[in-house]
Amino acid sequence: MLETTANGSLLTSPGKVDRYAGQDFNEHVTLENWQESPFNRWGFVHISELITTATIRRGRASGPSTGSESATPEHAERWHSVEEFLESTHTDAIVVLQHGKLVLERYFGSFQPHDRHVLMSVSKSVCALTMGILVGRGLIDPQQPVHHYVPPLKGSAYGNATVRQVLDMTAAVRYSENYLDAAAEVQQQDRIAGWRPKLETDPEDTYEFLTLLKAAGEHGRSFQYCSAGTDVLAWIIENVSGKRYAEVVSDELWSQLGTLDDALITTDSGGFAFANGGIACTARDLAKIGQLMLDEGKANGQQVVPSWWINDTMRGGDPQLARGTAYQQVHPNGSYRNQWWVPGDSRGTVYAAGIHGQFIWIDPVSDTVIAKFSSYPQPVALELSRAHAAGFRQLISILEYTS
Amino acid sequence: MLETTANGSLLTSPGKVDRYAGQDFNEHVTLENWQESPFNRWGFVHISELITTATIRRGRASGPSTGSESATPEHAERWHSVEEFLESTHTDAIVVLQHGKLVLERYFGSFQPHDRHVLMSVSKSVCALTMGILVGRGLIDPQQPVHHYVPPLKGSAYGNATVRQVLDMTAAVRYSENYLDAAAEVQQQDRIAGWRPKLETDPEDTYEFLTLLKAAGEHGRSFQYCSAGTDVLAWIIENVSGKRYAEVVSDELWSQLGTLDDALITTDSGGFAFANGGIACTARDLAKIGQLMLDEGKANGQQVVPSWWINDTMRGGDPQLARGTAYQQVHPNGSYRNQWWVPGDSRGTVYAAGIHGQFIWIDPVSDTVIAKFSSYPQPVALELSRAHAAGFRQLISILEYTS
């Protein structure tokens, strides 16, 4: 049915109010403001209208979704606190799988099951799974230095880091990951990637940007979260495969998972796909990435990612390397391995996280995957990390209690 | 399997040669050149990497394709001339349905079954089918003037034209459709739509552009092919539905046809979806639009578009209105109705056409649909039109002969 009334959403498009007479479409979403609240609620779901994109294809034989569409354990006594968690963290969508079955699926605001939400740094975890496939095939040796696979990076920060160090983010790079600082490298990367208006002084594209980064000491000594590292991994993937990054993710990973929809990835003027943060997909498909982890790399009855790669990832890295980080203020025993966060708790939790509240949270004990999209106003904050860790753990305990 | 060798395509990405060591990726495709040969072969298939896009969703329950993937009537004696036709017209893909079944499917160069090719003005025919649905529902009366539905167009060229006149392109507009003239309105529209680099003197977006067009005489007197008219239809569709154009096409048409994949449509800085030429889809899905015409508006067992709208379209308009046009040099009895071309031949042919050789050709006598994507070097040419009419008719006669 065609709706002839306004859909009640304040932020629906970059359109003009006088052009949608009688509608509430009275706010602009622009390249300048789409990452800021409240514009991010629309921007995170309409990234292809703001930035150019390439397709990451679903499997050709994908059928309709199986499982209940809105399973909610309404009888749970503590459920209201989960509702509060979802509301207070500006949730756009949550999909929970337990024992591989859909047990909870909720959408908020105007977000729909078919909508694709930007993953932010959850994209990094997707990149490393793709790399795990190529490592398993012998195309990449994590002990090799980066310049072995990408000669133009020789002499730059990442050139003599090993692939392993880049995977675990222990390369030492002069790079500020302060999302709110216009002078930070992470914002410059945004501009070059087409995520913000470009400055004349910026390098031409991400490839060039990566060649210009400078080292900041000895690699391998400590954990330094740096978005550029994932883009280096993507460049390695392109060079060893002879294909573009989006094609490799399509062919090797996304089309093999029984995904229901294509995903997207933003591209820059040089054709570089923004591996560190630019994927957008549906909530249901995102949960399939988590299920792949729980199933030790198997999906649709076949081994997509080597099981040893998944196991190595879920065991985590060395927590000593992350001493003194904000991360360990939330997860004191936490480490970072193969672009996944490993809290080091007794349940074997592992998670992928993106700014503004994007998550895949995996709990092996209860065999649960939680995929969550949000439009949290701040990109990163201790209370955001704490609220999510607590919220996910409570949700899992309720599911255990009621199942 | 991952290919580790170059794919043999000269034009594969906007990437740089030194960044893809050992590959043949040595040409740039840019916003300046993507519509020109040979760059258009890549550009037409990667439009989302050059221009921002919105999604036109497939049906959620779509399954895998049915039917043979490469049925070719190789035994046909005259088949070599069809091969010549396909080669000489720079074909990227051709899909032929007969009695609703796939009887021929061929891809050329690097174009794949999952690739989405830009439709150019075949997009217009999709727009009018969508409007037919809303007319059938009583939301639009074709006899009303345009300003009745879009008040901001009052006083501009289209304001006092009727919707019927815009559908049949008999509105009189000061507008040059010369694709190769930088001063022509059609190129200005390209720039505003994000299809070419914008000039500072250009209007902000397509909405504003449409309000500035001037009339050029009395409406309804003669056929004047003018791309802007379709964008006016899309604006009407947005205003009567309260939804954005891509949403309406998704909900009412594309998701109802058993399409296998999402389609895309390019968007401009004002959020306007480029209705007159900006849709991209797979060849298989495009053929479903033709099948919908042959099936009098039915698809998947339901009436998607009113049958009377389809019948009215296929009967054609008044050929007198198109006297003296290049169109009638190819089809002397040709007319234009509801954004479809109706040659007025004895077989009841009707077709949709886009520059550089995009076609849906429908032959009711043999119950055949031909969907064809091309990267023909010239946008329009008499020999291009003649070659396609002759090629399609020969192909159909071979299918009749061999079936």
Side-chain angles (χ1 to χ4, degrees), chain A residues 132-152:
Chain A
I133 296 168
L134 304 194
V135 170
R137 217 169 279 161
L139 288 169
I140 299 167
D141 173 3
Q143 300 313 321
Q144 287 286 340
V146 166
H147 70 74
H148 177 74
Y149 300 108
V150 185

Side-chain angles (χ1 to χ4, degrees), chain B residues 70-189:
Chain B
S70 59
T72 304
E74 290 170 12
H75 53 291
E77 290 162 16
R78 291 178 296 164
W79 189 250
H80 69 277
S81 65
V82 172
E83 291 282 355
E84 280 173 20
F85 156 60
L86 296 175
E87 284 292 337
S88 66
T89 54
H90 298 249
T91 305
D92 295 320
I94 184 165
V95 166
V96 182
L97 307 178
Q98 199 167 39
H99 312 307
K101 299 251 184 279
L102 188 64
V103 294
L104 175 65
E105 181 175 26
R106 291 281 304 282
Y107 299 93
F108 299 81
S110 60
F111 194 87
Q112 298 285 315
H114 57 250
D115 281 331
R116 284 177 268 256
H117 196 289
V118 66
L119 303 189
M120 302 300 184
S121 292
V122 174
S123 308
K124 293 180 170 69
S125 310
V126 173
C127 179
L129 288 171
T130 307
M131 180 163 273
I133 297 168
L134 304 194
V135 170
R137 215 170 280 160
L139 288 169
I140 299 167
D141 173 3
Q143 300 314 318
Q144 287 286 342
V146 165
H147 70 74
H148 178 74
Y149 300 109
V150 186
L153 284 176
K154 198 159 195 166
S156 75
Y158 282 103
N160 63 344
T162 64
V163 177
R164 164 55 49 217
Q165 288 165 340
V166 183
L167 279 163
D168 295 347
M169 294 226 189
T170 63
V173 190
R174 201 179 303 161
Y175 187 102
S176 165
E177 190 84 16
N178 184 342
Y179 301 99
L180 302 175
D181 176 7
E185 282 80 2
V186 73
Q187 276 215 11
Q188 187 178 35
Q189 262 211 278

Side-chain angles (χ1 to χ4, degrees), chain A residues 287-307:
Chain A
K288 288 180 190 289
I289 293 286
Q291 193 62 43
L292 181 76
M293 297 287 285
L294 277 179
D295 293 344
E296 295 185 270
K298 275 195 184 158
N300 274 345
Q302 59 171 336
Q303 195 75 42
V304 177
V305 180
S307 58

Side-chain angles (χ1 to χ4, degrees), chain A residues 21-95:
Chain A
Q23 308 301 325
D24 268 341
F25 307 171
N26 58 352
E27 292 277 5
H28 275 242
V29 183
T30 67
L31 198 59
E32 285 82 359
N33 70 20
W34 71 276
Q35 295 188 63
E36 296 161 17
S37 183
F39 308 104
N40 60 1
R41 188 144 229 175
W42 189 90
F44 288 177
V45 189
H46 295 83
I47 194 163
S48 73
E49 300 189 44
L50 294 154
I51 308 163
T52 58
T53 54
T55 302
I56 296 173
R57 295 184 312 281
R58 70 187 174 98
R60 296 295 295 175
S62 299
S65 173
T66 55
S68 162
E69 293 215 1
S70 59
T72 305
E74 291 170 13
H75 54 289
E77 291 162 15
R78 291 178 295 163
W79 188 250
H80 69 276
S81 65
V82 172
E83 291 283 353
E84 278 173 20
F85 157 60
L86 296 176
E87 284 292 337
S88 67
T89 53
H90 299 250
T91 305
D92 295 320
I94 185 165
V95 166

Side-chain angles (χ1 to χ4, degrees), chain B residues 91-401:
Chain B
T91 305
D92 295 320
I94 184 165
V95 166
V96 182
L97 307 178
Q98 199 167 39
H99 312 307
K101 299 251 184 279
L102 188 64
V103 294
L104 175 65
E105 181 175 26
R106 291 281 304 282
Y107 299 93
F108 299 81
S110 60
F111 194 87
Q112 298 285 315
H114 57 250
D115 281 331
R116 284 177 268 256
H117 196 289
V118 66
L119 303 189
M120 302 300 184
S121 292
V122 174
S123 308
K124 293 180 170 69
S125 310
V126 173
C127 179
L129 288 171
T130 307
M131 180 163 273
I133 297 168
L134 304 194
V135 170
R137 215 170 280 160
L139 288 169
I140 299 167
D141 173 3
Q143 300 314 318
Q144 287 286 342
V146 165
H147 70 74
H148 178 74
Y149 300 109
V150 186
L153 284 176
K154 198 159 195 166
S156 75
Y158 282 103
N160 63 344
T162 64
V163 177
R164 164 55 49 217
Q165 288 165 340
V166 183
L167 279 163
D168 295 347
M169 294 226 189
T170 63
V173 190
R174 201 179 303 161
Y175 187 102
S176 165
E177 190 84 16
N178 184 342
Y179 301 99
L180 302 175
D181 176 7
E185 282 80 2
V186 73
Q187 276 215 11
Q188 187 178 35
Q189 262 211 278
D190 261 20
R191 296 194 302 269
I192 295 162
W195 282 44
R196 296 175 187 273
K198 206 166 163 183
L199 303 180
E200 280 193 19
T201 50
D202 288 326
E204 189 190 334
D205 58 23
T206 302
Y207 294 111
E208 184 184 347
F209 171 80
L210 295 175
T211 66
L212 300 173
L213 287 173
K214 301 293 176 215
E218 196 180 337
H219 298 314
R221 301 296 289 263
S222 66
F223 172 62
Q224 182 198 346
Y225 190 81
C226 175
S227 284
T230 312
D231 301 317
V232 168
L233 298 177
W235 197 348
I236 293 170
I237 287 170
E238 291 194 330
N239 277 15
V240 303
S241 68
K243 297 202 285 192
R244 300 179 69 203
Y245 179 67
E247 279 292 307
V248 185
V249 179
S250 291
D251 293 347
E252 303 299 334
L253 186 71
W254 204 260
S255 65
Q256 305 301 313
L257 301 183
T259 42
L260 300 165
D261 286 285
D262 293 341
L264 307 172
I265 186 164
T266 68
T267 55
D268 72 12
S269 62
F272 184 82
F274 204 46
N276 91 61
I279 296 177
C281 71
T282 68
R284 289 181 190 172
D285 283 347
L286 185 64
K288 288 181 190 288
I289 293 287
Q291 193 61 43
L292 181 75
M293 296 288 282
L294 276 179
D295 293 343
E296 295 185 88
K298 275 195 184 156
N300 274 347
Q302 59 171 336
Q303 195 75 41
V304 177
V305 181
S307 59
W308 64 264
W309 180 273
I310 303 289
N311 292 333
D312 175 63
T313 303
M314 294 185 75
R315 268 195 303 272
D318 181 357
Q320 291 296 335
L321 295 168
R323 286 286 172 260
T325 59
Y327 171 42
Q328 288 201 349
Q329 290 184 46
V330 181
H331 302 289
N333 199 33
S335 65
Y336 191 83
R337 184 69 167 177
N338 290 339
Q339 312 271 303
W340 286 79
W341 302 92
V342 187
D345 62 19
S346 60
R347 303 183 68 94
T349 304
V350 56
Y351 68 91
I355 55 171
H356 299 281
Q358 324 316 321
F359 283 94
I360 308 172
W361 186 276
I362 298 164
D363 181 64
V365 169
S366 64
D367 199 18
T368 304
V369 171
I370 303 172
K372 182 179 189 283
F373 291 142
S374 323
S375 302
Y376 199 80
Q378 283 77 48
V380 285
L382 268 183
E383 77 264 19
L384 176 144
S385 302
R386 289 196 174 111
H388 279 93
F392 292 145
R393 284 171 173 149
Q394 177 164 47
L395 176 50
I396 287 162
S397 78
I398 292 173
L399 292 172
E400 285 185 308
Y401 177 81

